């Protein structure tokens, strides 16, 4: 049986990286190649080189990252890839551009056209299972309307994915699809397969602290200006037991806040403190939302249990495609957990990237690992 191929390159030259990826995964015909690369790479050069190696009907998609997950577990300044063999998969993809002027009608036309192609492919191959992968410009702030619209259009096809990163520069994040690469865009892939798969979502937090009511916000910018009637950064720091000067990505990773929606807890991660003591979030935020400071659980145990439960569900897993929040990576580094977490990721053949946000059934979330495990 042709298995899903995985590859890693630490070459800084984009052409060399593409060559090494090809050498590792191009030994069988592939329906889809997914590539996650450090933002230091020249995206135009990398996509050209990949397209030279993987021509139609192979679809080639990917994005820039805030770190990669590959042969070493967590790694940096690399390119990682998964190759989905044509013997077990079909893939169709499209780009959705101009996210800043998100047009739901135009999005619907693109998704419906893609779904027609994907449905035809599925019938031809008599595959039982389908899922959708969505990669989004991580600085677009359009994950919520886009994810929600696509999940509604695709119905019972699960939509998972992540937001592209650029380390922690917050300057430019990019996605690519075949000959297209750029920002202010998203890539949607519909996969069909005869292999079993299981959708994963895990986070290691529970509500534990004082309630925080968002009393003033600018939702279109994901900025909270007031919490409990006080400047947001000052009140958040007080509740976390920190000084404002101590607020950093590491602090936000250690002291996340959660919101309760439909009986489930979802993390709403803070990206940065602004000069006016407002807080910018990675996720949608609005006035009146009640946030609660969360307490961390054992992250290593949490990850192992999630991956073990997956094997109990579908049997031996051949690989996991993962979208893992950058704040998890920072937290694990800060707590000295990066090595054991990386070992667990390696042992379960997890390939993916550190993201600026994750998608789970079309819902945009933070400080979570989402993904899909493929069985044999």
């Amino acid at each position: 049986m042709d298995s899903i191929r995985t590859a890693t390159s630490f070459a800084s030259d984009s052409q060399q990286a593409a060559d090494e990826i090809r050498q590792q995964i191009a030994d069988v015909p592939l329906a889809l190649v997914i590539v996650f690369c450090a933002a230091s790479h020249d995206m135009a050069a990398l996509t050209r080189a990949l397209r030279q190696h993987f021509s139609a009907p192979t679809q080639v998609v990917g994005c820039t990252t805030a770190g990669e997950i590959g042969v070493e577990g967590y790694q940096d300044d690399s390119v990682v890839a998964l190759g989905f063999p044509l013997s077990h998969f079909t893939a169709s993809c499209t780009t959705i551009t101009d996210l800043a002027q998100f047009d739901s009608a135009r999005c619907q036309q693109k998704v419906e056209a893609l779904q027609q192609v994907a449905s035809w492919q599925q019938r031809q191959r008599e595959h039982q299972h389908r899922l959708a992968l969505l990669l989004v410009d991580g600085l677009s702030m359009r994950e919520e309307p886009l994810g929600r619209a696509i999940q509604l259009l695709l119905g019972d096809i699960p939509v998972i994915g992540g937001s592209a990163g650029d380390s922690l520069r917050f300057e430019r994040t990019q996605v690519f699809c075949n000959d297209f690469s750029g920002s202010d865009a998203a890539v949607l892939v519909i996969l069909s397969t005869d292999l079993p798969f299981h959708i994963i979502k895990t986070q290691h937090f529970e509500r534990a602290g004082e309630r925080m009511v968002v009393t003033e916000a600018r939702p279109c910018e994901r900025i909270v200006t007031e919490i409990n009637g006080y400047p947001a950064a000052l009140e958040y720091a007080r509740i976390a037991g920190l000084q404002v000067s101590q607020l950093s990505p590491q602090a936000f990773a250690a002291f996340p806040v959660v919101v309760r929606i439909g009986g489930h807890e979802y993390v709403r991660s803070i990206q940065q403190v602004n000069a006016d003591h407002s807080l910018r979030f990675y996720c949608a935020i609005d006035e009146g939302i009640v946030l609660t400071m969360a307490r961390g659980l054992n992250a290593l145990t949490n990850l192992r249990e999630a991956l073990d439960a997956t094997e109990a569900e579908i049997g031996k897993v051949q690989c996991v495609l993962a979208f893992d929040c950058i704040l998890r990576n920072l937290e694990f580094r800060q707590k000295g957990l990066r090595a054991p977490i990386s070992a667990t990721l390696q042992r379960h053949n997890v390939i993916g990237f550190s993201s600026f946000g994750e998608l789970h059934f079309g819902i945009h979330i933070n400080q979570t690992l989402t993904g899909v495990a493929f069985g044999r």
Side-chain angles (χ1 to χ4, degrees):
M1 183 188 82
D2 292 333
S3 61
I4 297 171
R5 272 38 179 184
T6 62
T8 297
S9 171
F10 289 94
S12 58
D13 177 77
S14 297
Q15 180 68 56
Q16 183 182 346
D19 293 346
E20 293 179 2
I21 294 298
R22 178 192 61 80
Q23 291 166 9
Q24 295 172 58
I25 67 175
D27 57 328
V28 296
L30 298 171
L32 174 70
V33 176
I34 300 180
V35 180
F36 305 124
C37 68
S40 56
H41 274 278
D42 180 333
M43 287 297 298
L46 182 63
T47 53
R48 280 197 306 270
L50 288 168
R51 206 59 187 143
Q52 289 170 1
H53 293 319
F54 303 102
S55 57
T58 304
Q59 306 295 307
V60 182
V61 304
C63 67
T64 56
T65 76
E68 302 78 53
I69 302 173
V71 292
E72 296 184 357
Y74 285 129
Q75 55 193 50
D76 300 294
D77 298 319
S78 64
V79 179
V80 301
L82 295 98
F84 294 83
L86 199 56
S87 56
H88 290 284
F89 291 89
T90 69
S92 52
C93 62
T94 191
T95 56
I96 301 168
T97 56
D98 300 319
L99 293 184
Q101 307 297 325
F102 180 66
D103 184 330
S104 57
R106 188 165 60 87
C107 175
Q108 180 175 349
Q109 291 175 350
K110 286 222 165 190
V111 175
E112 288 178 346
L114 182 67
Q115 192 171 12
Q116 286 182 352
V117 174
S119 296
W120 178 83
Q121 289 178 328
Q122 182 186 24
R123 288 194 301 270
Q124 292 291 107
R125 298 289 297 279
E126 299 182 345
H127 286 166
Q128 295 176 299
H129 312 296
R130 283 196 295 178
L131 74 155
L133 308 174
L134 183 60
L135 303 175
V136 190
D137 175 351
L139 298 178
S140 68
M141 295 193 292
R142 290 294 182 270
E143 291 96 335
E144 285 84 12
L146 182 64
R148 184 168 56 246
I150 289 175
Q151 186 63 80
L152 284 171
L153 289 166
L154 294 184
D156 60 357
I157 300 174
V159 178
I160 62 167
S163 302
D166 65 345
S167 297
L168 286 171
R169 294 195 296 270
F170 305 114
E171 294 171 355
R172 189 184 187 202
T173 62
Q174 299 181 74
V175 299
F176 58 90
C177 177
N178 296 327
D179 298 320
F180 169 87
S181 65
S183 303
D184 194 31
V187 175
L188 176 64
V189 182
I190 299 180
L191 273 177
S192 79
T193 181
D194 59 358
L195 299 179
F197 66 79
H198 179 68
I199 304 298
I200 297 173
K201 171 183 172 290
T202 187
Q203 61 192 46
H204 57 286
F205 297 100
E206 63 181 9
R207 288 192 300 168
E210 191 174 331
R211 282 161 41 106
M212 294 176 278
V213 180
V214 177
T215 48
E216 189 174 287
R218 300 199 296 274
C220 61
E221 300 174 65
R222 294 179 178 169
I223 287 177
V224 172
T225 53
E226 283 188 4
I227 293 173
N228 297 337
Y230 296 97
L234 299 182
E235 183 68 352
Y236 170 84
R238 180 190 70 79
I239 293 172
L242 301 171
Q243 300 296 317
V244 172
S245 60
Q246 295 176 290
L247 298 184
S248 65
Q250 289 76 15
F252 301 141
F255 298 96
V257 296
V258 297
V259 61
R260 192 169 182 82
I261 302 173
H264 299 281
E265 307 290 349
Y266 294 96
V267 181
R268 288 288 183 262
S269 293
I270 301 168
Q271 184 183 103
Q272 63 189 45
V273 181
N274 299 317
D276 62 356
H277 286 159
S278 63
L279 296 173
R280 181 184 294 277
F281 281 69
Y282 279 102
C283 234
I285 207 78
D286 207 346
E287 289 183 9
I289 285 180
V290 178
L291 303 170
T292 308
M293 191 72 73
R295 175 179 61 198
L297 304 173
N298 187 304
L300 184 57
T301 298
N302 173 268
L303 178 61
R304 286 172 174 168
E305 288 177 348
L307 294 172
D308 289 345
T310 297
E311 292 217 341
E313 181 73 23
I314 61 172
K316 186 68 175 175
V317 171
Q318 59 170 304
C319 84
V320 178
L321 167 59
F323 311 96
D324 189 52
C325 184
I326 179 57
L327 292 179
R328 287 168 56 89
N329 191 325
L330 293 175
E331 179 194 355
F332 301 153
R333 188 190 299 270
Q334 186 178 16
K335 293 181 176 178
L337 289 172
R338 187 163 147 135
I341 293 285
S342 287
T344 299
L345 295 171
Q346 287 174 285
R347 190 160 53 251
H348 289 83
N349 201 20
V350 178
I351 303 292
F353 74 102
S354 293
S355 59
F356 278 1
E358 303 76 59
L359 287 156
H360 180 255
F361 288 87
I363 298 173
H364 184 224
I365 51 183
N366 297 140
Q367 217 148 340
T368 304
L369 182 147
T370 65
V372 54
F374 294 96
R376 298 185 182 276

